[in-house]
Amino acid sequence: WYYILDGYMLNNTIFSPGIYAGTDDETSWVFDKDGHLVYGGWYWHNFKGGDGAPDYGFWSYSNADGTGYNGWLKENNHWYYIYSGGMLSSDTFLAPDGYTYAFDGNGYLVDREGWVWLGDSEYGFWTYTDGNGAVLTNEWKWIDGKCYRFNAYGMIYTDGTYIIDGVEYSFDHTGAWIQ
């Protein structure tokens, strides 16, 4: 089926009538580029970049009834986190359990311990995962003889001096604490 809103057919989107109307119903629906409800599975929402910018988009996942999936999903030996009624996490995400998880560019949970680069070459950052996909947040970690501090989003402090918990600390360009 289709959804007409204010005289326009919705297409290439995830839409929640309850959120739009300001009600408590957060059920969302996934629509393809032609406005058809997507009945189950993955769908790529593609958008044309303007003024010479590249195209962009996002993956969504819908249930068999067309509603957007929410929560953890394991498929083909990979874990994903789907939120906002069907949007795939592809960097970090604060899950309902209170942990911030790291996902690679394909949306796979980074389920190994170690350093992980998240984002693209211009806007990304280094973080460290605990082996279960959770990134270190608001804590210190000794790694290979050097100490690093991770902020609330899992990013390390680099190239400067910062006041953390009322104490001044300096970090080099790699994020290592300068003692």
Side-chain angles (χ1 to χ4, degrees):
W1 54 267
Y2 302 94
Y3 195 96
I4 308 298
L5 178 68
D6 298 331
Y8 296 96
M9 181 178 66
L10 296 179
N11 64 352
N12 203 28
T13 193
I14 300 171
F15 179 70
S16 173
I19 292 174
Y20 178 80
T23 69
D24 291 335
D25 182 8
E26 295 183 6
T27 303
S28 60
W29 303 89
V30 179
F31 296 93
D32 70 13
K33 67 180 180 59
D34 297 318
H36 301 113
L37 189 63
V38 177
Y39 291 101
W42 293 102
Y43 184 77
W44 175 252
H45 300 268
N46 189 51
F47 302 95
K48 298 289 182 195
D51 296 328
D55 291 354
Y56 62 98
F58 64 91
W59 283 102
S60 68
Y61 191 87
S62 64
N63 296 306
D65 64 357
T67 56
Y69 184 89
N70 278 301
W72 287 102
L73 173 70
K74 186 169 187 178
E75 185 176 87
N76 298 325
N77 293 319
H78 294 288
W79 280 101
Y80 303 90
Y81 194 83
I82 313 294
Y83 66 100
S84 295
M87 294 182 69
L88 174 67
S89 297
S90 60
D91 48 28
T92 60
F93 181 74
L94 178 62
D97 64 6
Y99 290 97
T100 299
Y101 291 92
F103 299 87
D104 68 14
N106 295 314
Y108 304 154
L109 176 69
V110 179
D111 56 357
R112 62 177 171 74
E113 182 174 358
W115 289 106
V116 178
W117 178 263
L118 297 176
D120 62 29
S121 60
E122 187 175 356
Y123 298 107
F125 63 93
W126 284 104
T127 191
Y128 196 89
T129 59
D130 68 357
N132 293 314
V135 300
L136 304 182
T137 57
N138 294 320
E139 64 183 279
W140 293 91
K141 173 84 173 169
W142 284 92
I143 304 167
D144 297 328
K146 297 181 180 180
C147 193
Y148 300 87
R149 172 65 184 196
F150 297 85
N151 72 13
Y153 303 101
M155 294 182 274
I156 56 173
Y157 290 88
T158 60
D159 278 330
T161 301
Y162 304 86
I163 297 176
I164 302 168
D165 298 328
V167 179
E168 192 173 275
Y169 297 96
S170 295
F171 302 89
D172 69 16
H173 71 283
T174 69
W177 172 41
I178 301 170
Q179 298 181 18

